[in-house]
Amino acid sequence: MPSDVQHGKHFWLRLLLVGGLIALSFNIVSAGSVAGGRSQTPAVPAACEPLPPGSTPESQANSMIVALNQWRVANGYTVVGYNAQLANAALAHSQEMSQYNYVNHTGRNGSTPGQRAMAAGYNYSLVGENLEAGLADAAAIIQRWWQQSPAHLYVMQMPVREIGVGYVYDPNDQAGVDLGDGTTGGPYCHYWTLMVGTRSSVYPVVVNRGAATTNSRNVMVTIGIGSSASLPEVPFVRFAAQPQWNGVPWIAFTGQEIPFVLPAGDGAKTVYGQVKYYMVPLDAVSATIRLATTGGRRMYLPAIRH
């Protein structure tokens, strides 16, 4: 599956748009990928893998956010927080790939990942994109990228703060999907676009590594800072259930996840944050998670996203 990285405008410094590494990989029996925009021809699966029971396109997309954050934490990288603009750009690209039977970083109108992010209102200083088709399990995709594709791994490791994932399930998908290198494949049925990025002086709150729902009031919160190199920028953080900061203490921040108790009662819960940006208080981008404890059952309910 392709992987692409681009730089954009950084607050005070204009950077030229540059293309990144590109690799292709798919759901194949003996998988292998090569950098530079070409891949081995994927074997067509006998039948498309079904949508996981009880899942929705929204829960699928959220599962990739959590899976990537799990991987980043386990491998020494900082977490990334949900961004609606990146999610909108990613979903539109997955929808287009599914509808028009292709898999490519270049859109039908010639758009690049960076251009799609900007068109969605995401004024980035850094952006990257990974694509996948054929697999239904987000955790398996993350594992695949890690083990088999240096280009995808590069995007997974990027010093970014925010993420959006677009997922489309097309059970009527057909063979003949254009892979952009003169070959075709499919049917794939599952189309994924993952976009990660950073905006200047923007720091997102991340709750439970980006999960959309929880069955416990006790959660873990942190700030997506991009990389450990950014820690001197935000040496202190604090969190609250309301955007009121009187009496809320600052916490020395080393990138760690911090225990936090959500307000009582099921429903959408917003966690607000502040960082000391070079010792000046700066509001972080709040995060919302849905608390669902009724009946003791864990079920997916779409969170209200900002």
Side-chain angles (χ1 to χ4, degrees):
M1 199 62 37
S3 170
D4 198 19
V5 179
Q6 293 184 343
H7 298 269
K9 292 181 181 178
H10 192 318
F11 198 56
W12 65 88
L13 179 64
R14 291 178 178 271
L15 299 175
L16 294 176
L17 292 174
V18 295
L21 294 173
I22 297 177
L24 296 174
S25 64
F26 292 87
N27 180 18
I28 54 181
V29 176
S30 55
S33 62
V34 283
R38 300 187 62 84
S39 78
Q40 298 173 350
T41 302
V44 178
C48 283
E49 188 175 357
L51 194 66
S55 65
T56 66
E58 292 80 11
S59 68
Q60 284 285 90
N62 184 247
S63 70
M64 179 167 279
I65 294 174
V66 175
L68 178 61
N69 274 332
Q70 298 280 28
W71 183 90
R72 284 177 68 98
V73 170
N75 289 277
Y77 299 94
T78 57
V79 297
V80 288
Y82 173 86
N83 177 269
Q85 295 159 325
L86 286 177
N88 290 339
L91 178 58
H93 192 57
S94 289
Q95 290 171 334
E96 182 178 283
M97 291 192 299
S98 172
Q99 181 179 357
Y100 293 99
N101 300 314
Y102 79 94
V103 180
N104 202 308
H105 288 292
T106 303
R108 293 180 69 246
N109 63 354
S111 63
T112 66
Q115 289 169 339
R116 292 192 291 274
M118 290 289 285
Y122 191 78
N123 297 314
Y124 64 89
S125 56
L126 180 65
V127 70
E129 180 180 86
N130 276 351
L131 305 177
E132 184 66 52
L135 288 176
D137 186 337
I141 293 170
I142 295 298
Q143 188 81 359
R144 178 185 181 85
W145 290 346
W146 174 32
Q147 295 181 338
Q148 300 179 17
S149 175
H152 289 87
L153 178 59
Y154 178 77
V155 171
M156 291 167 59
Q157 297 169 325
M158 284 173 64
V160 288
R161 302 174 191 153
E162 297 175 294
I163 183 172
V165 175
Y167 167 83
V168 170
Y169 175 55
D170 179 8
N172 300 313
D173 200 23
Q174 302 295 316
V177 177
D178 183 0
L179 305 183
D181 61 352
T183 65
T184 60
Y188 296 116
C189 298
H190 306 271
Y191 289 83
W192 302 79
T193 301
L194 175 149
M195 299 190 76
V196 292
T198 289
R199 294 176 291 170
S200 179
S201 305
V202 175
Y203 297 91
V205 174
V206 185
V207 183
N208 280 2
R209 301 183 181 178
T213 62
T214 178
N215 67 345
S216 173
R217 291 177 59 198
N218 298 298
V219 296
M220 302 296 289
V221 298
T222 189
I223 296 287
I225 58 170
S227 74
S228 58
S230 301
L231 284 171
E233 297 177 11
V234 287
F236 298 95
V237 298
R238 59 184 177 180
F239 302 95
Q242 300 289 337
Q244 306 293 332
W245 301 106
N246 290 337
V248 180
W250 290 100
I251 302 169
F253 187 56
T254 59
Q256 77 274 27
E257 295 174 291
I258 299 166
F260 185 86
V261 181
L262 299 174
D266 285 1
K269 307 294 180 183
T270 299
V271 179
Y272 299 87
Q274 280 194 331
V275 302
K276 277 196 174 178
Y277 181 66
Y278 291 113
M279 303 311 293
V280 176
L282 175 70
D283 287 342
V285 179
S286 61
T288 300
I289 190 168
R290 188 174 292 275
L291 178 61
T293 62
T294 303
R297 294 183 302 167
R298 301 191 68 171
M299 58 183 293
Y300 178 84
L301 295 172
I304 298 174
R305 294 296 202 176
H306 293 283

